[in-house]
Amino acid sequence: MSEEEYRIESDTIGPVKIPKDALWGPQTERSRNNFPSGELMPLAVIRAFLNLKKAAAQSNVEVGDEPKEKGAAIEDAVDQLLSLSDEELRKDFPLRVLQTGSGTQSNMNVNEVVANLANQLHHGLDILPNDDVNRGQSSNDTYPTAMNIVAVEALDKLEPAIEHLIAELKVKQNKYWKTVKVGRTHLQDATPVTFGQELSGYISALKHDLAYLQELKPTLYELAIGGTAVGTGLNAAPGMTEKIAGKLSEVYGHEFKVKTNKFWGLAHHSGINVIHGALKTLAADMFKIAQDVRFLASGPRAGYHELNIPANEPGSSIMPGKVNPTQSEAVTMAAAKVFGNDTTITFAASQGNFEMNVFKTVMISAFLDSCDILTGTITGFADKMIAGLSVNSARMDDLLEDSLMTVTALSPHIGYHAAATIAQTADKEGTTLKEAALKSGEVTEAQYDEWMDYMKMTNIDQTSPEE
């Protein structure tokens, strides 16, 4: 940078050249140069930090630990920053996830930007990043507080996506509740099931996944703020943190609390870890559902082709008319990323040393990535796959009629061994099951037609879509 392009500021290490128009200060600039690679710090984290700084300034004023004028100036600066679009906000927050694992530099990035903007808005107050904006706080308690806040926000967006997919699956479940098809176990033919029953299993899985997330989410309401450097609360004014929790609860609509063990809050991120385990479970269930749909729709001439899927885009650059299960592919790839993120978070959560965990930034980045890709792919799967899904009834009937495992219905009448012999004979001789059964002499045609009731085999009258 030429002399016209930068200004010089100093921190405790020494002077630093900073772009002339940048709102950040020396600690941000050092980090910007020291850590140039990897993804940028999520703006959700920055916005959570800004709300936290505003709540802290207000609370410090209320408990008499911050001059009213400085608190108001910090509040004005934060409000102006929060009003910016993501693109505008990013200009002042250029740091990366791969920085110090405590998130210290991002905390200071926020402190410096808020302080400099507050000084521009209120000349003569001399608001300082550490002494004023960071009053009663430490990166060690502010960053995990921001982590929990953004994790809750991300779950708030994911939950409606799961509910939406459940609703779309219910439409198809009710429509095809009595559409009989071949069941399959071990990737082999099994006894009949209805497509509606099959869908009810998907719905139940997603309902359980949603319940797991909702039951676990309250652990994120426990905030580390107030622990300051090592969990003891040194330099935090009495009553400050309780007020912060109340103000953040009003902003986000959740009952955040600070009456929790701060040594745990700084050095362990159990809530992030356990909830991501539930996200992994959701991803695993979504993988299974998406996989089933694309297999059942495979073909159309050389696969199962029990399902017809929407043609959302051309499937091939060389094969005209090809339709691919792209929404299923997106879901399964998203699941693969979530599995990887879970490994990252599991390892990161194990890396608390003494009074602090220093894998915070990568942990929350992975968590937010999982929430984001699950929210997007689940919504897309609901709207662009399940909503347009239909069954190929003729194909289902043909496969069911050709299945040998419906012979199971004969077992109670003629015994397992005799029924197995009929199935093996039909397979070996290439005949229908009925032909082999009549040839065996074990059943009459009238008995066969009475016992071989596909719908009855599904026990449809003993099951309910709501189970």
Side-chain angles (χ1 to χ4, degrees):
M1 291 183 288
S2 67
E3 291 188 12
E4 294 77 22
E5 295 176 314
Y6 69 84
R7 67 184 191 272
I8 296 178
E9 291 186 17
S10 296
D11 58 14
T12 55
I13 295 179
V16 180
K17 291 181 179 179
I18 303 170
K20 198 167 189 177
D21 296 328
L23 275 177
W24 62 78
Q27 292 198 49
T28 302
E29 186 64 18
R30 288 187 189 280
S31 180
R32 195 168 75 98
N33 289 287
N34 289 341
F35 305 103
S37 61
E39 64 182 299
L40 294 168
M41 183 63 61
L43 287 177
V45 173
I46 302 302
R47 291 188 183 277
F49 257 119
L50 290 170
N51 278 314
L52 175 56
K53 297 299 175 181
K54 178 178 176 179
Q58 292 172 331
S59 299
N60 277 319
V61 169
E62 290 173 14
V63 299
D65 199 45
E66 182 111 70
K68 185 176 181 180
E69 295 78 9
K70 285 192 173 185
I74 292 170
E75 186 174 347
D76 288 346
V78 168
D79 285 342
Q80 183 165 314
L81 290 166
L82 287 173
S83 70
L84 298 176
S85 67
D86 283 353
E87 183 179 0
E88 293 170 323
L89 190 63
R90 176 59 74 190
K91 295 175 185 177
D92 297 313
F93 298 96
L95 301 189
R96 307 281 174 169
V97 167
L98 301 181
Q99 52 169 278
T100 176
S102 62
T104 298
Q105 282 116 28
S106 280
N107 180 44
M108 285 309 303
N109 184 190
V110 176
N111 290 333
E112 290 175 340
V113 169
V114 170
N116 285 334
L117 182 55
N119 285 325
Q120 288 181 13
L121 296 174
H122 298 267
H123 298 289
L125 287 180
D126 192 25
I127 294 170
L128 300 175
N130 294 82
D131 294 337
D132 298 313
V133 184
N134 200 61
R135 182 179 289 271
Q137 306 153 60
S138 164
S139 302
N140 301 349
D141 67 350
T142 58
Y143 199 90
T145 296
M147 286 172 67
N148 280 22
I149 289 171
V150 296
V152 169
E153 279 191 297
L155 293 173
D156 285 345
K157 295 177 183 176
L158 174 59
E159 289 167 9
I162 301 171
E163 291 169 344
H164 177 52
L165 177 55
I166 290 172
E168 290 293 344
L169 286 168
K170 280 185 175 180
V171 171
K172 302 301 179 181
Q173 171 197 258
N174 295 335
K175 184 175 182 179
Y176 300 117
W177 184 244
K178 293 191 175 182
T179 301
V180 187
K181 63 185 288 293
V182 171
R184 296 179 177 88
T185 59
H186 301 270
L187 297 180
Q188 305 296 308
D189 297 347
T191 55
V193 65
T194 75
F195 187 49
Q197 289 174 323
E198 199 166 36
L199 290 172
S200 75
Y202 302 165
I203 292 168
S204 184
L206 293 171
K207 282 183 173 180
H208 280 86
D209 293 335
L210 183 59
Y212 301 149
L213 291 172
Q214 291 172 336
E215 289 167 10
L216 290 169
K217 187 162 68 170
T219 191
L220 295 174
Y221 300 164
E222 300 180 56
L223 302 182
I225 195 68
T228 65
V230 296
T232 61
L234 179 66
N235 292 350
M240 166 202 172
T241 53
E242 289 80 2
K243 288 183 176 294
I244 289 176
K247 295 178 189 305
L248 291 175
S249 296
E250 290 179 10
V251 171
Y252 292 101
H254 292 283
E255 290 298 319
F256 291 113
K257 58 184 179 179
V258 291
K259 289 185 178 180
T260 185
N261 188 289
K262 304 303 180 185
F263 305 101
W264 170 74
L266 272 59
H268 305 260
H269 297 301
S270 315
I272 295 290
N273 194 14
V274 71
I275 292 176
H276 198 275
L279 293 176
K280 179 191 67 174
T281 302
L282 169 63
D285 287 335
M286 282 302 304
F287 194 108
K288 192 270 184 192
I289 294 168
Q291 187 89 303
D292 279 2
V293 170
R294 68 172 167 183
F295 280 165
L296 292 174
S298 63
R301 299 294 176 87
Y304 293 103
H305 195 214
E306 291 187 352
L307 301 179
N308 304 308
I309 59 173
N312 294 320
E313 61 270 312
S316 172
S317 61
I318 187 172
M319 293 175 280
K322 196 169 189 295
V323 174
N324 290 335
T326 52
Q327 291 297 323
S328 286
E329 291 166 8
V331 167
T332 53
M333 287 190 289
K337 283 209 70 180
V338 174
F339 300 156
N341 286 339
D342 195 68
T343 299
T344 297
I345 289 173
T346 300
F347 179 80
S350 75
Q351 296 304 299
N353 302 123
F354 308 115
E355 275 63 64
M356 188 171 64
N357 178 295
V358 291
F359 281 71
K360 300 182 195 303
T361 58
V362 73
M363 191 182 302
I364 193 57
S365 173
F367 187 98
L368 293 179
D369 181 54
S370 291
C371 287
D372 181 59
I373 60 178
L374 284 173
T375 300
T377 55
I378 287 173
T379 301
F381 189 71
D383 292 337
K384 295 181 172 60
M385 175 65 90
I386 299 303
L389 194 70
S390 64
V391 304
N392 187 344
S393 299
R395 176 66 171 166
M396 285 183 173
D397 290 345
D398 288 345
L399 291 174
L400 186 59
E401 197 64 39
D402 202 35
S403 173
L404 300 177
M405 289 305 99
T406 52
V407 76
T408 305
L410 301 181
S411 292
H413 304 284
I414 65 175
Y416 181 94
H417 182 76
T421 300
I422 290 172
Q424 291 162 354
T425 299
D427 188 39
K428 182 178 179 180
E429 297 180 357
T431 64
T432 66
L433 195 61
K434 184 174 184 177
E435 289 172 330
L438 297 181
K439 182 180 178 180
S440 73
E442 295 285 347
V443 298
T444 65
E445 185 170 6
Q447 289 173 324
Y448 185 92
D449 291 341
E450 178 186 354
W451 296 336
M452 199 60 64
D453 184 331
Y454 299 143
M455 184 64 76
K456 189 175 181 180
M457 289 184 209
T458 68
N459 279 330
I460 195 72
D461 295 332
Q462 298 177 37
T463 57
S464 165
E466 298 307 314
E467 290 181 349

